[in-house]
Amino acid sequence: MTTAPDATIEVSPARAQIEYSRHLFGHFIEHFHRQVYGGIFEPGSPLADARGFRQDVLEALRELKVPNVRWPGGCFVSTYDWVHGIGPDRKPTFDPAWRVNDPNTFGTDEFIAWCEALGADPYICTNAGTGTPREMSEWLEYTNRPTGSRWADLRAEHGHPTPYGVPFWSIGNENYGDWELGAKTGAEWAAFVTESAKLMLRVDPDVKLLAAAFEDKDWILPLLEQAGRYLSYISIHGYWDKLHEVNRPTDYLGAMSKTLGPESQIALVRAMIEVSGQSHIKIAFDEWNLRGWHHPVGNTPEAIQARDLNDDNSTYTMADAIFSAAFLNSCLRNSDKVSMANLAPTVNTRGPLFVHETGVVRRTTFHVMQMYANLLGPRVIDSAVQSVPLDTGHGEVPLVDAVATGDDEGNIVLALVNKSADEAASVRVRVDGVALSGTYGATVLRGDNPDAFNDVENPDAVTPETTTVQFTDGTIQLPPHSITICTAPKASFAS
Ligand code: AHR
């Protein structure tokens, strides 16, 4: 008698196929610690070009086919005066959000030039803390309007006569939280977003507007009922291992216990959008990371110095990779509603790419982003996944997480995640009832143990393996703590 597989996947190409947005593989960078200064931007470095852009960083990030980058914050933006970051005479300003001085040498023009070098759409998050709708609209005029008006002419004076056409603009960042400078009540927020959006759309009616939100009906419903008609997305954030005050990263199974968080958050927000009647609104998970950034409160040198702990590469293990793959699968499963997700951040802090003086380290999550952005088909295929539970010690989660995508040739590309720390998982896959059989090309990320990581001295301890996988009577064996992306040729299941 054959033993039942740990998981089954019934893929139904004949049913729904949804073309998901490439913006699910987006990124976020903030003026925090060494993300911008000493990360992507390091004038004087032998690895930087004349503009100060680290070329090794750009080269690595190009491997991720980054569709958009959100900037400049995050909490930073809630007191940011964008005018300080343009023109020939940049003066440092004190940043009350992160209690350090910002040199302002990397501002709007540098950010847009950097996005162009990367091949990504710029996404600007505006200051809805101390800022005003007028300041937002003038920022938009500076970037997007043709010359002939004050701010667009100033852009031309700075050497950029052609409008930049920045497509994505968010009104505010987490203005619902007391930690945010310029926080607002739900009622204040709905009115503020409405007036900001009206003004910005007068400046450029073609921009896609987002607004800060979170899974609370008393915040989302007034926002959508009052401002929904002007918005394309609402923005939500998620950090599930909260390390802001105490830097004690959870272990592998602790991370696995958090893998259902994103999808339950999405389900809540979906339901609230439905109730609002604003069904055109999409979800942008425009800050996400398993690990919250470490930045204890206070202005003391010790509190500021503690941010260096984010740079400990041993922190980013297969736990981060498996969580990130499960997160992306959650977004793909909900890609009829989730149209953007931005990994927070893209460089240093908890990001997939660690930048040091003489080079970069591709952390485990870098390889997940690279595999998902390069190997999946462009459409999510309707599939039913059943899995035995994994007991994480902090509750049960499905052992196997899976998504099926389709490519233009009718092949099926599967993203299969085994969350077990120490055991292989058997998965039976059927496509329109036909059990997959055969040897297929695959890429597998696993590391040699669940706590494996990459570092400066050992940058390739965890790298994707190009290999083949064997389906026997529909069943494949997934290695422990692994992510497998494999392609089932159309001929193998279509009669
Ligand atoms: O920890 C970083 C912060 O997390 C971002 O600045 C903010 O948007 C979120 O609360």
Side-chain angles (χ1 to χ4, degrees), residues 30 74-76 98 173-174 179 237 239 244 287 293 295:
E30 179 163 0
C75 295
F76 168 81
W98 298 122
N173 176 80
E174 300 187 358
W179 59 83
H237 293 169
Y239 297 95
H244 304 96
E287 282 185 34
W293 306 357
H295 42 66

Side-chain angles (χ1 to χ4, degrees), residues 246-288:
V246 178
N247 188 52
R248 192 177 303 124
T250 187
D251 63 5
Y252 180 86
L253 285 177
M256 293 306 103
S257 73
K258 301 174 186 297
T259 51
L260 296 182
E263 203 141 12
S264 55
Q265 200 172 337
I266 291 169
L268 263 177
V269 175
R270 288 187 73 120
M272 291 174 198
I273 292 172
E274 214 50 50
V275 165
S276 77
Q278 300 287 324
S279 54
H280 70 284
I281 294 282
K282 299 293 186 184
I283 296 171
F285 227 129
D286 62 14
E287 282 185 34
W288 70 269

Side-chain angles (χ1 to χ4, degrees), residues 130-406:
T130 60
T132 66
R134 159 70 78 188
E135 287 159 349
M136 294 177 192
S137 66
E138 289 172 344
W139 198 356
L140 177 57
E141 181 187 327
Y142 179 82
T143 62
N144 284 19
R145 281 203 63 80
T147 52
S149 64
R150 175 187 179 189
W151 295 101
D153 289 349
L154 192 58
R155 181 193 67 241
E157 263 179 55
H158 297 159
H160 311 284
T162 307
Y164 287 128
V166 176
F168 299 109
W169 291 78
S170 175
I171 298 167
N173 176 80
E174 300 187 358
N175 298 86
Y176 45 81
D178 184 53
W179 59 83
E180 199 75 19
L181 297 171
K184 291 173 175 62
T185 65
E188 289 166 342
W189 186 240
F192 184 88
V193 170
T194 300
E195 294 313 313
S196 303
K198 281 161 58 179
L199 192 48
M200 292 179 82
L201 292 173
R202 292 292 178 89
V203 174
D204 182 348
D206 297 328
V207 294
K208 299 283 185 206
L209 291 181
L210 303 89
F214 79 117
E215 51 283 10
D216 175 288
K217 64 178 174 39
D218 296 331
W219 183 271
I220 283 189
L221 293 184
L223 171 65
L224 291 181
E225 283 153 9
Q226 205 169 329
R229 74 192 106 156
Y230 304 114
L231 302 175
S232 298
Y233 308 74
I234 53 175
S235 149
I236 59 174
H237 293 169
Y239 297 95
W240 289 269
D241 187 16
K242 300 189 188 306
L243 303 170
H244 304 96
E245 288 307 315
V246 178
N247 188 52
R248 192 177 303 124
T250 187
D251 63 5
Y252 180 86
L253 285 177
M256 293 306 103
S257 73
K258 301 174 186 297
T259 51
L260 296 182
E263 203 141 12
S264 55
Q265 200 172 337
I266 291 169
L268 263 177
V269 175
R270 288 187 73 120
M272 291 174 198
I273 292 172
E274 214 50 50
V275 165
S276 77
Q278 300 287 324
S279 54
H280 70 284
I281 294 282
K282 299 293 186 184
I283 296 171
F285 227 129
D286 62 14
E287 282 185 34
W288 70 269
N289 199 311
L290 165 62
R291 314 283 185 190
W293 306 357
H294 182 58
H295 42 66
V297 294
N299 293 37
T300 62
E302 296 72 24
I304 305 299
Q305 188 81 41
R307 296 168 189 176
D308 289 347
L309 295 175
N310 291 294
D311 287 346
D312 175 358
N313 288 312
S314 68
T315 302
Y316 310 105
T317 69
M318 283 309 298
D320 301 74
I322 298 286
F323 179 93
S324 298
F327 173 88
L328 292 173
N329 284 357
S330 298
C331 291
L332 287 161
R333 277 191 288 269
N334 289 276
S335 54
D336 60 315
K337 185 54 76 175
V338 181
S339 297
M340 184 184 283
N342 298 67
L343 180 52
T346 184
V347 159
N348 289 334
T349 312
R350 305 285 191 198
L353 192 70
F354 176 68
V355 180
H356 56 93
E357 195 179 336
T358 59
V360 297
V361 176
R362 292 167 175 77
R363 290 167 170 167
T364 59
T365 44
F366 179 97
H367 295 305
V368 175
M369 296 302 286
Q370 192 274 344
M371 288 167 68
Y372 272 71
N374 286 277
L375 301 177
L376 294 185
R379 281 177 301 285
V380 173
I381 298 178
D382 190 65
S383 54
V385 181
Q386 297 286 331
S387 170
V388 297
L390 167 70
D391 181 356
T392 67
H394 312 272
E396 289 187 340
V397 297
L399 173 71
V400 171
D401 189 305
V403 152
T405 66

